[in-house]
Amino acid sequence: MTTTSLPLDTDRAALLARLAEPCVYDLAVIGGGATGLGVALDAVARGFKVVLLESHDFAKGTSSRATKLVHGGVRYLAQGNIALVREALHERTTLLRNAPHLAQRLAFVMPSYRLLDTPFYGAGLKMYDALAGKAGLGATEFLSRDKTVSLLPTARTQGLKGGVKYWDGQFDDARLALALARTAAAKGALLVNYCPAKELLHEDGKVTGVVCEDSETGTVYRVHAKCVVNATGPWVDLFRQLDGKALGREVKPMVAPSQGVHVVVDREFLPTDHALLIPKTADGRVLFAVPWLGKVILGTTDTPRNDLAREPLPFPEEVDFILSEAGKYLVRQPTRNDVRSVWVGLRPLVKPQDDDGENTKKISREHTVMSSRSGLVTVTGGKWTTYRAMAEDVLRECFATGQLPERAGGVTVNLPLVGAPAGGTPAVNPGLKGMNAPQGLHSYGTEATAVAALPGADLWLTEGLSEAMVRFAVRHEYARSVEDVLARRSRLLFLDAQRAVAIAPRVAALIEEELGRDAGLTAFQSLARQYLPQGQ
């Protein structure tokens, strides 16, 4: 099975007209990140009437700022969390199968600089394979010193003893989120970005809907629903507190935000299709060097934060730490002048009751689903890889609280997302370029023909982005601004911030031609400066 129908239009006036219609939805979802979009898709695929409201753009927050890995969680295995790893490994395979144009397998090499590292980590990774079973992507291999060098040609050779190679996956997180949104819309769900929820509606102590406001016009809408899901990631406590206030109850925060910083450099630092993994850096954290869309991602950090900034900035020491640690394992030390982009994501870690949230390494990476006395269902925590399983857990909670009639699950296990080519397999698909190749027409899967048919298909703004792609983003992918196009439809802002700034005026002109309104060029130029390391 594959999705081959013509792409739906995402005309905003039509979406808002639907939102204004008198209607009681089965499910209203607040939050258009991975979790909320997964819930919306699962619910509409089971036949429920669904609306989803996103305050900014889909995946604007955490869901576009991941390390781009679809993984079972090797470090969780070391912590003994077998159940979490097993679930994630199987969800990994499902994700890769349903969106092979946006998620594919990736080989990791863990170089060993101590004699015992290879057998120690290799044994753990063999267990990783065993937990995956038939869902495995490839067998773990013990590598000689020479083989390790051949796979990681720019790894430091001094003291190198050998290595271990294992398999996980990688993906384009923002475009996968978009594919979830568009697949849900194709099945009848109403999804509206730039339409923040402002209040919760209550009746007789029960939550009955949401008051939202179109950010562009200021028009207010009252959306009624049998069940409301709070899937706002790091921001879930804001709506839990609104709910509690309406009921005269105090609500304790459940999220302890953690900040992850990622640094992007050119492929010359790691000119290979293999990722480098250092399982234990100077402070005990994991360090990745991952080839992605023509660049290399270095990261990541894990630093507690006390605020919920929409565009969190890296702490200077975090960038220095990543560059310094990378230099210990690469032939050439990357410097700030080598950095093409820096991005920061907030992780919504769930803290135990009475926990002060200071040590984020000890806080749960698992997701939490809970419902309040009013019936507000909240979901947070977890990770991208398990978004689909999280959605099923949310619907189970909706059923358990009696807000929705129970319907059989498993409907998204074999549900190809928009653009998924026929016959895609999670392990090998020779017809697809890898996620380490620069973006291009291949990134659209079966929709490549529709993109190529638009005006400007042969007019390239930069490598991997044509005028036609900008038009497609506006007409069929909910894009409203330069940021939407250059940060999440194209990933250029995350790959090369200076290049994104250079082409932004041409992108703005195309968007304004399509929409007849301001495209936010000035705001984007200001934002893009935050993606450049301090000192550039």
Side-chain angles (χ1 to χ4, degrees):
M1 177 182 174
T2 185
T3 305
T4 56
S5 57
L6 291 173
L8 290 178
D9 289 338
T10 53
D11 176 71
R12 189 168 184 83
L15 296 176
L16 293 174
R18 283 180 62 189
L19 190 64
E21 292 174 0
C23 175
V24 177
Y25 290 90
D26 293 313
L27 191 69
V29 181
I30 308 172
T35 306
L37 293 168
V39 170
L41 178 56
D42 195 326
V44 75
R46 297 196 206 196
F48 291 112
K49 191 173 183 63
V50 178
V51 61
L52 180 146
L53 304 167
E54 163 55 38
S55 61
H56 295 75
D57 187 26
F58 302 122
K60 158 74 174 177
T62 303
S63 295
S64 62
R65 302 161 189 268
T67 312
K68 320 308 179 195
L69 302 180
V70 184
H71 64 108
V74 173
R75 62 176 169 170
Y76 309 140
L77 184 63
Q79 296 168 3
N81 201 332
I82 303 299
L84 177 62
V85 175
R86 181 183 287 114
E87 177 185 64
L89 285 168
H90 286 78
E91 288 300 321
R92 175 189 70 177
T93 303
T94 300
L95 194 160
L96 268 61
R97 181 179 63 244
N98 287 338
H101 58 312
L102 297 172
Q104 293 156 34
R105 73 173 188 164
L106 174 69
F108 287 75
V109 175
M110 191 183 298
S112 302
Y113 292 93
R114 295 182 301 179
L115 282 174
L116 295 179
D117 281 354
T118 297
F120 176 77
Y121 291 114
L125 289 165
K126 286 289 187 182
M127 185 184 298
Y128 197 59
D129 292 352
L131 286 172
K134 292 181 180 179
L137 302 180
T140 293
E141 302 174 46
F142 293 89
L143 305 175
S144 67
R145 183 183 187 278
D146 289 346
K147 184 63 174 176
T148 302
V149 172
S150 71
L151 298 179
L152 298 176
T154 52
R156 180 172 63 84
T157 56
Q158 183 181 358
L160 182 65
K161 310 299 183 185
V164 182
K165 174 182 174 180
Y166 75 99
W167 293 87
D168 250 325
Q170 70 175 158
F171 72 135
D172 184 334
D173 50 3
R175 288 203 62 81
L176 186 71
L178 194 62
L180 290 173
R182 296 179 62 223
T183 306
K187 291 190 168 293
L190 172 60
L191 300 97
V192 188
N193 55 353
Y194 295 105
C195 194
K198 297 291 189 179
E199 300 174 38
L200 296 174
L201 295 173
H202 290 82
E203 187 174 322
D204 298 328
K206 296 296 181 182
V207 64
T208 58
V210 178
V211 177
C212 59
E213 180 181 310
D214 174 22
S215 295
E216 296 183 9
T217 65
T219 304
V220 174
Y221 301 86
R222 295 172 68 86
V223 179
H224 298 275
K226 298 173 184 174
C227 184
V228 177
V229 172
N230 172 19
T232 52
W235 296 274
V236 291
D237 287 328
L238 300 178
F239 289 96
R240 292 179 63 240
Q241 288 161 358
L242 278 178
D243 183 53
K245 184 177 180 181
L247 302 179
R249 296 176 55 84
E250 186 176 344
V251 175
K252 287 186 63 176
M254 64 185 291
V255 170
S258 169
Q259 173 165 294
V261 174
H262 304 81
V263 173
V264 175
V265 295
D266 289 332
R267 280 294 296 273
E268 66 188 63
F269 285 93
L270 193 68
T272 173
D273 292 342
H274 293 72
L276 180 152
L277 170 66
I278 303 300
K280 197 170 184 180
T281 59
D283 71 346
R285 288 183 285 199
V286 176
L287 176 73
F288 293 98
V290 180
W292 187 68
L293 300 183
K295 300 290 185 181
V296 173
I297 300 172
L298 304 176
T300 175
T301 59
D302 195 356
T303 309
R305 279 193 79 116
N306 296 317
D307 63 341
L308 293 170
R310 280 287 170 182
E311 283 287 347
L313 296 174
F315 301 121
E317 61 270 21
E318 290 180 300
V319 175
D320 292 338
F321 171 81
I322 291 173
L323 295 175
S324 173
E325 288 298 309
K328 294 177 182 178
Y329 301 99
L330 298 174
V331 171
R332 184 159 80 86
Q333 166 79 55
T335 69
R336 284 178 174 267
N337 288 333
D338 297 308
V339 175
R340 298 291 170 254
S341 186
V342 177
W343 78 80
V344 184
L346 296 181
R347 301 184 182 99
L349 304 183
V350 181
K351 59 183 180 181
Q353 292 298 309
D354 303 318
D355 189 278
D356 61 11
E358 286 304 308
N359 188 347
T360 60
K361 292 178 213 167
K362 293 183 180 177
I363 297 176
S364 176
R365 259 66 180 171
E366 295 181 71
H367 64 273
T368 295
V369 180
M370 58 185 292
S371 52
S372 71
R373 292 190 179 185
S374 75
L376 178 68
V377 177
T378 293
V379 53
T380 193
K383 58 182 179 176
W384 242 118
T385 306
T386 55
Y387 83 87
R388 198 201 64 80
M390 292 169 66
E392 291 201 333
D393 286 349
V394 168
L395 286 176
R396 273 192 283 270
E397 183 70 12
C398 298
F399 301 153
T401 55
Q403 298 181 88
L404 292 179
E406 188 163 350
R407 294 179 183 173
V411 295
T412 56
V413 173
N414 294 295
L415 177 59
L417 302 185
V418 164
T425 65
V428 181
N429 194 323
L432 296 173
K433 290 187 179 181
M435 293 305 301
N436 55 347
Q439 278 186 285
L441 209 52
H442 63 276
S443 306
Y444 294 83
T446 60
E447 294 189 313
T449 303
V451 177
L454 293 178
D458 56 350
L459 298 175
W460 295 91
L461 305 173
T462 190
E463 182 182 24
L465 182 64
S466 68
E467 289 191 359
M469 292 173 182
V470 177
R471 297 186 191 281
F472 189 84
V474 174
R475 297 181 189 185
H476 305 295
E477 296 183 329
Y478 296 93
R480 305 295 295 170
S481 69
V482 176
E483 181 194 338
D484 293 350
V485 172
L486 291 180
R488 289 172 292 277
R489 278 59 176 180
S490 161
R491 307 312 309 278
L492 189 59
L493 178 62
F494 284 72
L495 295 165
D496 190 333
Q498 284 189 334
R499 185 64 191 143
V501 169
I503 70 166
R506 294 178 64 190
V507 172
L510 289 166
I511 295 173
E512 290 167 4
E513 180 185 324
E514 289 285 327
L515 295 179
R517 59 183 289 274
D518 181 76
L521 175 60
T522 302
F524 176 77
Q525 290 170 327
S526 176
L527 171 68
R529 285 194 287 272
Q530 299 180 31
Y531 284 70
L532 291 170
Q534 295 176 13
Q536 277 198 27

